[in-house]
Amino acid sequence: MGAQIKTLSFLAYIIRIYQTEVGHHSTLMVKGMLSLLTICPHEVAHLRKELLIAARHILATDLRSKFVPLMEKLFDENILLGKGWTTFETLRPLAYSTLADLVHHVRQLLPLADLSRAVQLSSKNVHDESLPTSIQTMSCKLLLNLVDCIRQRSEQEGGNGKELLVKMMEVFVLKFKTVSKLQLPILISKHLPPPAPTPPSSSTAILAPLTPGVPSLAPLQSPATPGNPQTPATPATPDIKTETVDIKPAPSPAPAALGQDKESLELEKKVKFGFPTSQAGNYSVSDCRALVKTLVCGVKTITWGLANTKAADGNTQSKQFQPKETLIYIRLVKWAMEALDVYTLNTCP
């Protein structure tokens, strides 16, 4: 298996020089690449990575059109990525970006069924928070570039492309909501200015005893003797009221509670196997702004596509939105206005 992938890598290295000669056997090469993706061991991540890199170089040539009849297999994640946990966690950005480049260049040749598969996979990646923000933005751009192709193919094949565009609009609106509810609060907490220190006021300072739990000491009285009777204490001035503040120390936690706290902290620090790591710590203002900008351009293009795409009954005169579409645009205004607050963040130190 390793020798076969090395051979494909060598072919990808010389394919630009001998593109005409390789073109004569392009059908066999495409079938061989898909066979390697299918039979590549799921647990060997480095072999699949080398295979994907070689495929990326081959797909950068004019031979990419030879893959159009077999696009259905490439949209199958079990073939593209396999079922291994390591490949799923480490190779998804490489695999999805390679497939997105291929779809972008051959989108005019794809039938409506393959365009629908591309929309489904890209929509899933847009809402996959375990992927980097750059991959989510790339998926949004791919959806943006498929709008006109869906409109044309829907008219040629008589399909319901307008329903597919409505689903794409829902995907973008939900992403606006995710940005405003999830990403934006994290970015705001990162870029909050430090609070200015407030000096304590001398008039409001309260003097408390140095030792907690010990009340303030009153002046000692001289003991009473036969020759020196005890003098009664001088009464306090009625205008001044003094109160003794008894500050009790906080009870110390039990040793068992301390042990439980340490164990819970250690469990939080451990990485749980089988759960994808969160990208919350990798959010940046620049990436979020690029994502929001792509979303705004996307909803503009989808709106144009909805107004110029035939409905399922072939009616082109009804450019008025249906009630369900109107509700989508109401939610769009609500969440998009909140997501645009990312441009109010000050990133300067």
Side-chain angles (χ1 to χ4, degrees):
M1 188 70 189
Q4 292 175 326
I5 295 178
K6 290 290 185 182
T7 305
L8 183 65
S9 300
F10 176 72
L11 181 62
Y13 179 74
I14 66 173
I15 194 171
R16 291 186 178 273
I17 305 174
Y18 304 100
Q19 189 168 345
T20 305
E21 290 75 7
V22 175
H24 297 310
H25 308 280
S26 58
T27 304
L28 293 175
M29 182 192 66
V30 170
K31 292 181 179 179
M33 285 182 57
L34 290 175
S35 298
L36 289 176
L37 285 172
T38 305
I39 66 176
C40 183
H42 303 302
E43 67 276 4
V44 186
H46 70 278
L47 287 180
R48 188 173 291 272
K49 180 179 180 180
E50 189 173 355
L51 178 57
L52 289 173
I53 293 175
R56 189 181 186 91
H57 286 286
I58 294 174
L59 294 174
T61 64
D62 294 336
L63 296 175
R64 63 173 74 94
S65 59
K66 304 296 181 180
F67 290 85
V68 172
L70 302 173
M71 288 297 296
E72 182 179 357
K73 294 184 178 180
L74 289 177
F75 285 123
D76 187 357
E77 293 183 272
N78 291 330
I79 295 178
L80 183 64
L81 285 170
K83 299 180 181 179
W85 186 85
T86 305
T87 57
F88 184 80
E89 288 298 318
T90 58
L91 298 183
R92 281 189 303 162
L94 174 61
Y96 291 146
S97 59
T98 302
L99 184 60
D101 290 339
L102 173 62
V103 174
H104 173 71
H105 287 95
V106 301
R107 64 186 186 277
Q108 299 290 346
L109 306 175
L110 296 178
L112 188 60
D114 286 339
L115 291 174
S116 178
R117 295 186 185 97
V119 169
Q120 181 180 0
L121 181 60
S122 300
S123 301
K124 183 177 70 68
N125 293 339
V126 166
H127 292 285
D128 192 348
E129 291 300 325
S130 62
L131 289 173
T133 309
S134 58
I135 300 298
Q136 299 176 18
T137 306
M138 179 202 67
S139 301
C140 291
K141 291 180 179 179
L142 180 60
L143 291 174
L144 168 63
N145 293 328
L146 294 180
V147 172
D148 191 38
C149 299
I150 293 174
R151 182 187 64 83
Q152 295 177 2
R153 284 295 178 180
S154 177
E155 295 178 357
Q156 295 173 3
E157 301 179 10
N160 194 3
K162 192 168 186 177
E163 183 179 354
L164 191 58
L165 293 177
V166 171
K167 292 181 179 179
M168 290 171 59
M169 179 62 76
E170 290 181 351
V171 169
F172 276 63
V173 172
L174 288 176
K175 191 59 184 176
F176 272 121
K177 182 178 180 179
T178 303
V179 170
S180 60
K181 301 289 283 186
L182 177 64
Q183 297 188 15
L184 194 57
I186 296 175
L187 293 175
I188 291 175
S189 63
K190 285 183 178 180
H191 295 85
L192 279 179
T198 56
S201 176
S202 58
S203 60
T204 59
I206 300 176
L207 297 178
L210 297 178
T211 306
V214 179
S216 56
L217 300 178
L220 297 177
Q221 300 177 358
S222 57
T225 56
N228 185 19
Q230 184 177 357
T231 306
T234 307
T237 308
D239 295 339
I240 302 176
K241 298 181 180 181
T242 58
E243 295 182 359
T244 302
V245 180
D246 189 9
I247 302 178
K248 297 181 180 180
S252 58
L258 288 175
Q260 292 177 359
D261 293 341
K262 291 181 179 179
E263 291 178 0
S264 61
L265 290 176
E266 291 177 357
L267 288 176
E268 290 179 359
K269 293 180 181 179
K270 290 182 180 179
V271 179
K272 296 181 180 180
F273 180 80
F275 290 89
T277 57
S278 175
Q279 296 291 332
N282 300 329
Y283 291 154
S284 65
V285 175
S286 59
D287 289 344
C288 191
R289 286 177 177 175
L291 177 60
V292 171
K293 182 179 179 180
T294 306
L295 291 173
V296 172
C297 296
V299 295
K300 179 181 177 181
T301 306
I302 295 173
T303 303
W304 171 85
L306 284 172
N308 294 276
T309 303
K310 292 182 180 180
D313 54 358
N315 186 9
T316 58
Q317 301 298 326
S318 61
K319 291 189 176 182
Q320 186 176 2
F321 288 144
Q322 299 297 323
K324 65 175 183 178
E325 299 170 1
T326 306
L327 291 176
I328 294 176
Y329 277 90
I330 291 174
R331 290 189 286 118
L332 169 65
V333 173
K334 175 183 178 181
W335 299 116
M337 290 298 102
E338 294 188 10
L340 289 175
D341 289 344
V342 70
Y343 286 94
T344 64
L345 297 179
N346 186 14
T347 57
C348 299

